[in-house]
Amino acid sequence: MRLIVLAISVLFVQNLAFSQGCCSGGGSNPIAGGTANGVLQKYQMEVSLNYQNNTSSKIFEGTEEASQEGIYDKLSSEYLFLRTDYGISKRLTLSLATGYHLNKALKEKDTTTTLSNSGMGDLIIFPRYDIYNETKGNIRSEITLGIGLKIPIGSHTDTVDFSRSNAIEYLPSTLQLSTGGADIMLYAFFFREYKKQKLRLFANSLYIKKGYNSLDDKFGDYTSVSLFASKTFFRKWGLTTQLKGEQIGQLNAKQSKLDRFENNTDDFLIDFEAGSWNEKKDNSGAKKLIFIPQISYSKNNFTFFTTIEIPLYQNLKGVQFASQNQFTFGINYRFLTKECEPEFELKK
């Protein structure tokens, strides 16, 4: 939480001398929610704070809703996400981000018992480089690539306060604050703006190569591809639609751990979500198609936005909680930290 407080403090003590950009290149970041980012202008800074609320009482097996025979009947989470971007040059932007789980909870079926957890999540270090940026008449095009690192801050080995068996009882993975592994992120972004029509079309793709944690677990790699359309109305209002396809791989483990599982059942790690590691693996992995509308309002350097996620298709391996209700509200603030130097001087 101290990281969030510190970053917000930095925002308000900066020298906010300029509200208009003066450097060429960059400056697109067309979607307020930050899910599709290009690069900023040189010396430009953006701070974004998002609140995300996620709840689900639907359990799927494959593409169909399954009977709720498990221990839990509701999964919920509240999450604060802070992202700070800075334009190092007109082509290179550095992004630092972190998150705080206000509450992650699983409600037990037919009881008043709820398991919960809260705390810091991960630190994301994410530079992006603009490899192509050109304006021809009414049309501006941009291509940006990024490679980043996600470093776990929160714990992935939190346990419950009591024991139901002689085995180690971790909280379910859905309640852990992090996967516990260092992940590599690869990113690509394409943007095209039609200035007169105030219309923007863009796309991005993200691949996250998951790393092993201290338990020798490796959560499934993540891949997403998104298509966007964004239109400005009445100068200050914006409407953006996003169609996102995502694929999540299955849980995996190092071979040495699998050998121990085969030869010694005492090494199984028991939790409340599944009886054994093998059961957890069988109930992991997914393919989804999600529609995400967003509305935003901009005034001065501030942009306020809200989004909802509407699942169109879900195919979950094994039996898992499905995506159901996700709502996000956020605020972006963008400013220049210093005056840009002229790129050339007129000869006398």
Side-chain angles (χ1 to χ4, degrees):
M1 192 65 179
R2 288 180 298 177
L3 290 175
I4 296 176
V5 175
L6 177 61
I8 294 175
S9 300
V10 170
L11 166 64
F12 288 103
V13 300
Q14 288 285 343
N15 179 16
L16 311 182
F18 304 95
S19 61
Q20 299 296 325
C22 63
C23 296
S24 62
S28 61
N29 280 20
I31 187 166
T35 54
N37 293 331
V39 295
L40 297 176
Q41 299 172 16
K42 186 178 181 180
Y43 303 138
Q44 191 174 43
M45 188 172 186
E46 180 177 270
V47 178
S48 177
L49 182 64
N50 300 359
Y51 167 78
Q52 183 182 100
N53 185 286
N54 197 332
T55 61
S56 179
S57 57
K58 288 187 176 182
I59 296 178
F60 271 34
E61 183 173 8
T63 59
E64 303 294 332
E65 190 168 354
S67 59
Q68 299 187 20
E69 298 178 353
I71 298 174
Y72 305 106
D73 62 5
K74 184 178 181 180
L75 170 67
S76 63
S77 67
E78 294 180 274
Y79 184 62
L80 280 177
F81 181 72
L82 176 67
R83 175 178 53 83
T84 302
D85 292 1
Y86 180 72
I88 298 174
S89 71
K90 68 178 184 179
R91 290 189 177 273
L92 178 63
T93 292
L94 176 63
S95 177
L96 299 176
T98 189
Y100 186 87
H101 299 279
L102 299 171
N103 187 43
K104 302 184 76 176
L106 274 171
K107 181 183 176 298
E108 289 193 6
K109 190 175 182 181
D110 301 325
T111 72
T112 58
T113 302
T114 299
L115 296 178
S116 63
N117 201 4
S118 63
M120 296 297 298
D122 299 304
L123 173 66
I124 299 172
I125 304 172
F126 194 38
R128 303 187 300 274
Y129 190 79
D130 187 2
I131 63 171
Y132 176 78
N133 198 322
E134 186 177 49
T135 299
K136 290 184 177 180
N138 182 48
I139 301 174
R140 185 171 76 85
S141 301
E142 176 184 343
I143 299 175
T144 297
L145 301 179
I147 180 169
L149 183 65
K150 185 164 71 70
I151 303 170
I153 298 176
S155 173
H156 63 286
T157 57
D158 288 338
T159 58
V160 292
D161 295 333
F162 55 89
S163 178
R164 297 184 179 181
S165 68
N166 293 326
I168 299 173
E169 293 183 351
Y170 294 115
L171 283 172
S173 57
T174 49
L175 294 187
Q176 298 292 347
L177 303 175
S178 172
T179 62
D183 304 338
I184 297 175
M185 306 170 65
L186 302 176
Y187 175 79
F189 170 77
F190 172 78
F191 172 72
R192 173 159 288 188
E193 178 183 19
Y194 299 87
K195 296 181 179 181
K196 291 182 181 179
Q197 294 81 6
K198 298 182 179 180
L199 175 66
R200 295 165 293 277
L201 302 176
F202 43 104
N204 73 7
S205 62
L206 175 65
Y207 174 70
I208 304 178
K209 179 68 175 178
K210 299 286 187 175
Y212 287 93
N213 59 27
S214 64
L215 300 176
D216 290 340
D217 285 336
K218 177 183 178 297
F219 286 77
D221 295 345
Y222 174 87
T223 305
S224 72
V225 177
S226 294
L227 303 176
F228 302 81
S230 179
K231 174 76 173 176
T232 300
F233 299 92
F234 309 114
R235 299 185 64 182
K236 295 183 178 181
W237 290 92
L239 178 64
T240 301
T241 58
Q242 175 186 359
L243 186 64
K244 178 172 71 173
E246 59 182 24
Q247 178 174 297
I248 305 170
Q250 285 189 284
L251 179 69
N252 204 347
K254 291 183 179 179
Q255 188 61 43
S256 58
K257 181 177 180 180
L258 297 178
D259 290 340
R260 293 200 308 271
F261 285 164
E262 293 176 359
N263 299 324
N264 185 355
T265 57
D266 291 338
D267 283 334
F268 276 73
L269 302 177
I270 307 300
D271 65 22
F272 299 153
E273 191 176 35
S276 70
W277 185 91
N278 289 310
E279 289 178 76
K280 290 172 65 177
K281 176 181 182 297
D282 292 339
N283 296 306
S284 64
K287 293 180 180 180
K288 300 180 182 181
L289 182 64
I290 304 171
F291 176 67
I292 308 173
Q294 174 181 268
I295 188 168
S296 61
Y297 175 79
S298 299
K299 184 175 178 60
N300 299 327
N301 293 350
F302 289 91
T303 298
F304 304 87
F305 63 91
T306 184
T307 71
I308 59 172
E309 294 199 0
I310 304 172
L312 303 179
Y313 171 81
Q314 300 183 73
N315 187 349
L316 311 183
K317 293 185 180 296
V319 180
Q320 303 179 54
F321 274 102
S323 298
Q324 187 177 1
N325 301 312
Q326 180 166 307
F327 165 82
T328 300
F329 172 78
I331 178 172
N332 288 358
Y333 186 49
R334 184 179 293 187
F335 56 93
L336 285 171
T337 60
K338 63 179 293 187
E339 186 175 6
C340 300
E341 297 178 358
E343 296 183 0
F344 60 92
E345 295 183 359
L346 294 176
K347 295 183 179 179
K348 295 182 180 181

